[in-house]
Structures are given as structure tokens and as C-alpha cells.
Amino acid sequence: MLKSSSGGGEEELGESYEVEADEMEEDSQKDTTVLLSGGNNFSDTYGGGDDESTLEGKYTFDRAVEHLGFGRFHWQLLFLCGVGYFAEITELVIVGFVAPAIEKDMNLSSVEYGLLGSSSFLGMTAGALFWGYISDRYGRQISFSLTVWMTFIGGFLSAFSPNYVVLILLRFTAAFGIGGMLPVDYTIFLEFLPTEKRGAHIVLVDAVGVIPALFVSALVAYAFSGKENIEWRWVLGIVSIPVGIMAVARRHVPESPRYYLASHQVEKAQEILEKVAEVNKTPLPVGRLAPMKREGSSSDSSSSSMHGKISLLFKGDTLRATTPRLWLLWFLTQFSSAGMVFALPKIFDETFQVSKKRIALDLLWGVFGLIPGLAIAYFAVEKSRKYSLAGYYLASGASVFMLMLTTMGFLSNEVAAIFMSIVLRGAMEGCFAILNTTSVEAYPTLIRASGLGNAQIFDHIAGAISPLFFSIFNDNTKLRPIALTVYAAAYLL
């Protein structure tokens, strides 16, 4: 049965479904639940609701996953899932970098300029909601494949946009795919993971996505930047090519066996586990996969109808407290992060009055902040989700404040500003890495992609608002410190 354990007992997640408590899962995730709701954690274990010793000739799904460990299949999946984060980061960085050139080329107003950055987040918002539901309702695989193709096509064609309206529509299309890639990618990756070092492995998804994304984005921007101009069409076209390559590779990723088991398609789940075992060169436990037991209805239609049901995000005391807190965390984190990513090229341009190529080089240095930032997160997340996330928020807020000082008046110093942008980038990505881990662990299989997708709606809403917010204050550079102070305060909240 599929049960959810919380605080004073067990909360039913649906009329016929419960998540069985599992000791290893509880030890791994309890810090997440303390952080979000203050209650005890629940897990998402399937094995029939019976003690494993009573399952003659059968093994639970969690036992199979733990037995397979983290092998060759998981490393391949990790890199293929990292493309979602790669696409998001390149979208944010490149649009922020080329926006001034597009503004000049298309003679945009300040509102149109701000909308250029906001359109990406509006697309991600719609995509997160749509693809999160599709993934929970119809399976992970269809969303896993279609979202990356949509991202590639929209991104590549935007390089040929004849006017502003077409450009906005194509960036929205690419962002619609990106919005689905993030919740689906993290969901399918987690559902193949063993408990040991699960948080650290999720952090690695961020690392394999964001480090190449920033490096490629900055390198392409540098290559196609002159002293006073940026070849923005070349930049948009070239940075989309890696996404297209990964779209072809992702066709071979199988459906999540945990999703099949939750849908009572046990034989399909068994087949996928056997394929994973073959790739990892590790045998499965002796016997066959145990089905998930249900009470009441004998029809599978009731199981299908529960997948992706939004009301389940608030079912029980734990989720009722967890879901709003996740939404707030995502909103504040992205409001500050998107604002700073969008603002940095403009700040360097107007404060230090250097060439476009020099600005691209200055931003390239930010890549070096990712390595220590994510390395620390890799180890810290296994110690405590709560305190590691709090530490990264504090570091991010302090970095924004110090960056503001290094770009103001007599305190302005390009070297110091570059250094603080490096620290900020590492702290910022540490926040997202641990928040992704926290979010994807917070929900059971039936609503995992929808839960993460709905949380990221608030992430994308914040991202849509933030560039407009900065543009308003940046019209008068004397007011810019107000915007940066708000960004710093949002991290610290």
C-alpha cells in the first residue's frame, strides 16, 4: 500500500494508496522534512505493504534499487538528465548577455527589453505546469523526450527571428520545453537512485548541467563579441546545438520502473530493472519484483486517475505544510538569482565601461566559482539539508551585498567585482542544488513531477518579475542599489 507517515501517525495520500515507511529512507530524508514542515518524514517505498520477510520468492522495489547500486546506467542517466539544467542556465545567461545587443538592434523600449528576459520565465512557468502533469499522468518517458526537442527547436530557430514578436514567441517555445525538462529530469533520475548518497548524486546533476552551460555560454559570447557589438544571432544558434545532440541521445532512456510499479504494471517495471542490471553488470535479488498492494478498488483505473492530481500536494499534515514552504523558497531564490544573472552584464557595462568582449570574459570567470560551490554542496547535503541550505542562502545574500559595494562610487573596483561575482555564482548554484534535492525528495511517486513542477511555477514567476524589477530601477543608476539590496534580502529571508 502507498502510505505517507507524518508527525503523529500516518496520513492517507489517497483512498486506496499509502506509502510504506522505510528506515533507510527516513534516515536519509528526515532533515528535509524538518526543514520544510517540522514533522517526521515519509518515504515512497513499494513492496506490497508487507514485511519483506513475508514475500516468498519476491523482493521489493527499494531492495532491488539498493542491490543494483550506482553503476554505469546511473552515470549515463546523470549526464542525460543534466541537459535540462544546461538548457535553463544557457537560457538565463545568454538572454541576459545578448539582451543589450538585441535592444540596440531592434530598438526596444525599456519594457520590451525587460519582457525579453521575462518571456523565458513565462514559458518555463507554463511548461512546468503542463509537463509535470503529463509526466505524472502518462509517464516520464514521453515528457523526457519531447521537452528537449521543443527546447532545441525553439532555441535554434530564434537565431533567425525576423522581428521582436517572432523572437519572443520562439524564446517562449524553448522555455516551455525547459520548464518541463527540470521537474521531469530530476524526477526520473531520483526514481532510479539508491538511498546511499542520493542527495549528493542529485547535486551532481546540477554540476554536469551548470558548469558546461556557463563555460559554453561565456566562451561563445566571448567569441562572437566585438568591442561594441555582439553577434547575438550566432550566439543563440550555437548554444542550442548541444541541446539538439542530447535530444537524440535521450531517446534511449527507459520509462521509470517506479512509475510503472505505482501504475501496477509490475512486469514492465521488472523488465526495466533487468535492463539496468545488465548495464550495471549487477544481478537483481533472487525472485521477482513484488507488486504494490491496494485496498478497495480492483480496477487499475483508480490508480491512473490519482497520478498528477494537484489536490494531493496538500493531502495530510506534512504535505499541507511542505508545499507552501517549497513554493516560497523557490520564489525567493529565483527572484534574486534571475535578477542578478540578468543584471550582471548591464552592471559591468555601465560601471566599468569596458568592451563587450571584456564583459564576456569577466562573466566567464564566474565558472570558477561553481566548482568549489558545488563541491561543498556535494558533501554538505549529505550532512544536513537544512543547515547546508541555510549556509548557502547566507553566502548568497552576503555576496550580492558585497558586489553592490564593489560597483558603487569610490568603492568600485573591477577585480573586486569579478571576485564577488565568482563567489556569488558558487553560492547561488549551491542554493539551487540543495533546493532541488529537497524538493524532489518531498513528494511520493504519484505526484513527484507535479510537485516539483508546481514548485517551479513560483520559481519561474519570480524569474519573470525580476528582470522587469531590475530594469525599472536601473533606468536611474542611483536607484540600482535598491534593487540589489532587495535581492540580497530575498536570499536572507
Side-chain angles (χ1 to χ4, degrees):
M1 292 186 294
L2 189 61
K3 273 188 180 177
S4 171
S5 297
S6 65
E10 295 178 334
E11 294 286 338
E12 289 193 4
L13 191 57
E15 291 180 1
S16 306
Y17 305 96
E18 304 169 322
V19 180
E20 180 189 21
D22 180 86
E23 196 170 320
M24 289 184 69
E25 294 256 352
E26 185 171 341
D27 288 342
S28 172
Q29 298 182 27
K30 63 184 179 181
D31 190 60
T32 293
T33 308
V34 169
L35 167 63
L36 294 173
S37 66
N40 294 328
N41 192 39
F42 61 86
S43 64
D44 191 32
T45 305
Y46 300 91
D50 297 317
D51 185 270
E52 193 168 331
S53 62
T54 68
L55 300 172
E56 293 186 14
K58 295 184 182 294
Y59 52 81
T60 65
F61 179 83
D62 285 306
R63 183 186 172 198
V65 171
E66 296 298 328
H67 195 78
L68 291 172
F70 193 93
R72 182 181 177 185
F73 172 85
H74 298 88
W75 282 110
Q76 293 173 349
L77 183 61
L78 187 153
F79 282 96
L80 291 176
C81 287
V83 70
Y85 213 53
F86 176 94
E88 183 191 31
I89 297 303
T90 53
E91 176 74 13
L92 297 180
V93 172
I94 286 301
V95 170
F97 181 77
V98 302
I102 296 174
E103 178 186 29
K104 181 180 179 181
D105 191 27
M106 295 187 172
N107 194 27
L108 304 183
S109 67
S110 60
V111 173
E112 289 174 327
Y113 176 80
L115 185 60
L116 184 61
S118 298
S119 64
S120 297
F121 288 97
L122 293 173
M124 290 182 200
T125 300
L129 181 62
F130 178 79
W131 292 112
Y133 171 78
I134 293 297
S135 179
D136 279 338
R137 188 70 174 81
Y138 300 105
R140 320 303 192 203
Q141 191 177 41
I142 183 172
S143 301
F144 193 72
S145 179
L146 292 180
T147 52
V148 68
W149 278 111
M150 180 173 287
T151 301
F152 167 64
I153 293 170
F156 186 76
L157 291 181
S158 66
F160 304 94
S161 302
N163 54 53
Y164 177 74
V165 174
V166 174
L167 176 63
I168 287 291
L169 290 175
L170 288 171
R171 297 317 300 178
F172 180 90
T173 300
F176 188 83
I178 294 172
M181 288 169 71
L182 293 173
V184 174
D185 288 8
Y186 281 100
T187 293
I188 198 169
F189 185 60
L190 178 135
E191 291 178 349
F192 279 100
L193 285 181
T195 301
E196 185 180 4
K197 291 188 176 180
R198 179 169 56 199
H201 288 139
I202 295 175
V203 170
L204 284 179
V205 176
D206 291 61
V208 301
V210 70
I211 293 176
L214 283 180
F215 182 77
V216 169
S217 297
L219 197 62
V220 172
Y222 180 79
F224 290 93
S225 298
K227 185 175 181 180
E228 297 296 336
N229 68 306
I230 301 170
E231 297 292 337
W232 63 268
R233 295 183 185 275
W234 282 97
V235 173
L236 291 181
I238 290 176
V239 297
S240 67
I241 292 175
V243 179
I245 295 172
M246 297 301 284
V248 176
R250 280 163 62 117
R251 293 182 303 123
H252 305 292
V253 174
E255 179 59 84
S256 163
R258 190 180 285 271
Y259 172 83
Y260 273 146
L261 193 57
S263 302
H264 307 291
Q265 302 179 65
V266 183
E267 288 305 313
K268 290 184 178 180
Q270 177 76 44
E271 290 174 8
I272 292 174
L273 287 175
E274 289 172 356
K275 291 178 181 178
V276 175
E278 182 179 352
V279 174
N280 280 3
K281 300 187 183 303
T282 303
L284 285 166
V286 176
R288 302 288 292 179
L289 182 63
M292 182 179 69
K293 286 187 178 181
R294 297 182 297 127
E295 292 181 355
S297 173
S298 59
S299 170
D300 287 342
S301 61
S302 60
S303 171
S304 177
S305 67
M306 299 296 289
H307 285 271
K309 194 171 182 180
I310 303 302
S311 62
L312 296 185
L313 297 178
F314 301 93
K315 190 73 175 181
D317 291 340
T318 298
L319 289 182
R320 194 177 296 118
T322 295
T323 296
R325 294 183 186 188
L326 271 178
W327 290 355
L328 180 61
L329 285 173
W330 276 107
F331 182 89
L332 294 174
T333 305
Q334 189 61 279
F335 180 79
S336 295
S337 300
M340 291 306 300
V341 169
F342 192 76
L344 278 175
K346 199 82 169 176
I347 292 174
F348 276 93
D349 184 19
E350 295 176 354
T351 302
F352 303 113
Q353 299 178 344
V354 294
S355 68
K356 304 299 182 185
K357 190 175 285 289
R358 177 66 173 272
I359 294 173
L361 184 61
D362 287 348
L363 296 178
L364 180 60
W365 286 106
V367 176
F368 294 99
L370 297 176
I371 298 173
L374 289 172
I376 294 171
Y378 177 84
F379 294 102
V381 73
E382 289 299 318
K383 300 296 183 181
S384 170
R385 311 288 200 259
K386 177 179 179 180
Y387 293 111
S388 57
L389 185 58
Y392 273 99
Y393 278 135
L394 181 62
S396 298
S399 299
V400 172
F401 181 75
M402 294 302 297
L403 181 64
M404 177 180 67
L405 294 181
T406 59
T407 56
M408 287 176 56
F410 70 93
L411 292 175
S412 64
N413 182 285
E414 187 180 0
V415 174
I418 292 172
F419 176 76
M420 291 316 305
S421 71
I422 293 173
V423 176
L424 173 61
R425 177 59 72 177
M428 185 190 303
E429 292 308 325
C431 286
F432 280 115
I434 299 172
L435 188 54
N436 277 320
T437 301
T438 299
S439 301
V440 78
E441 288 180 336
Y443 297 103
T445 302
L446 292 176
I447 53 171
R448 180 168 290 126
S450 294
L452 183 55
N454 276 271
Q456 291 198 333
I457 288 173
F458 290 84
D459 165 285
H460 303 324
I461 290 173
I465 295 171
S466 195
L468 289 172
F469 175 82
F470 176 76
S471 296
I472 293 170
F473 282 92
N474 198 58
D475 280 346
N476 185 341
T477 55
K478 292 181 179 180
L479 297 179
R480 183 192 297 161
I482 297 177
L484 299 186
T485 300
V486 172
Y487 290 149
Y491 278 127
L492 298 177
L493 287 177

